[in-house]
Amino acid sequence: MPTPLPLIPHPASPPIALSIAVSVSAEPRELVLHYRVYGDIDAVRWPEPQGGGMADGLWRHTCLEAFIAQAGQGAYREFNFSPSGQWADYAFSRTRVRDAQTSAPHAPLIERRDTADGVDLVAVLERRHLPPGAWQLGLSAVVEDVRGQVSHWALHHPRPAPDFHDPAGWTLRLPAD
């Protein structure tokens, strides 16, 4: 199993006694993202199970995210994985310029596991639906607490305000297959 990478809360985020880590495995046919949220999980407002399906606005509540770009390119994909089972898949031609939807998004496999000390969410994306070549990844999370306050977590926060779309925060590099 790959070494888990810790996500850190943005300095402007309200405090919450959690830890979040992500393990990434680039398999021949798929990219596997294993998010682990642990600590005071009772302080988190978890979305109700929805049985899957694409949904907009997941980032407004507790969700786990991945930004995937072909290294050196401006275009990228944003994936949102909700613990409810819902997901989102957006294509951007450059920073914050969303493409018109030209084809149906491809549903990831999402599995949530509640454990004694946390919540695991595993998201599996088929490689054939991702950009070719070497990847630059931004891994992040939005956590809504039971009071409705939102904290932002990522591998790296390059700006004074949280901005997951900033490629300077996409610090994980994966070689071409």
Side-chain angles (χ1 to χ4, degrees), residues 96-172:
R96 295 194 176 277
V97 178
R98 195 163 142 193
D99 293 350
Q101 193 70 39
T102 56
S103 63
H106 301 280
L109 171 67
I110 299 174
E111 181 182 346
R112 174 183 167 168
R113 294 181 224 138
D114 294 349
T115 66
D117 64 343
V119 173
D120 289 357
L121 186 137
V122 177
V124 180
L125 302 167
E126 292 183 48
R127 285 182 81 110
R128 64 190 172 114
H129 301 303
L130 298 174
W135 291 331
Q136 182 177 346
L137 275 75
L139 302 173
S140 52
V142 174
V143 177
E144 182 181 18
D145 70 17
V146 293
R147 298 172 311 215
Q149 294 182 312
V150 175
S151 61
H152 298 87
W153 300 67
L155 291 173
H156 175 66
H157 296 283
R159 296 182 177 265
D163 184 359
F164 297 153
H165 286 264
D166 184 342
W170 305 345
T171 57
L172 180 60

Side-chain angles (χ1 to χ4, degrees), residues 21-44:
V22 187
S23 298
V24 179
S25 179
E27 303 295 329
R29 293 187 156 171
E30 57 199 19
L31 177 65
V32 180
L33 304 168
H34 182 171
Y35 295 84
R36 175 119 178 85
V37 181
Y38 55 100
D40 187 6
I41 60 169
D42 291 334
V44 177

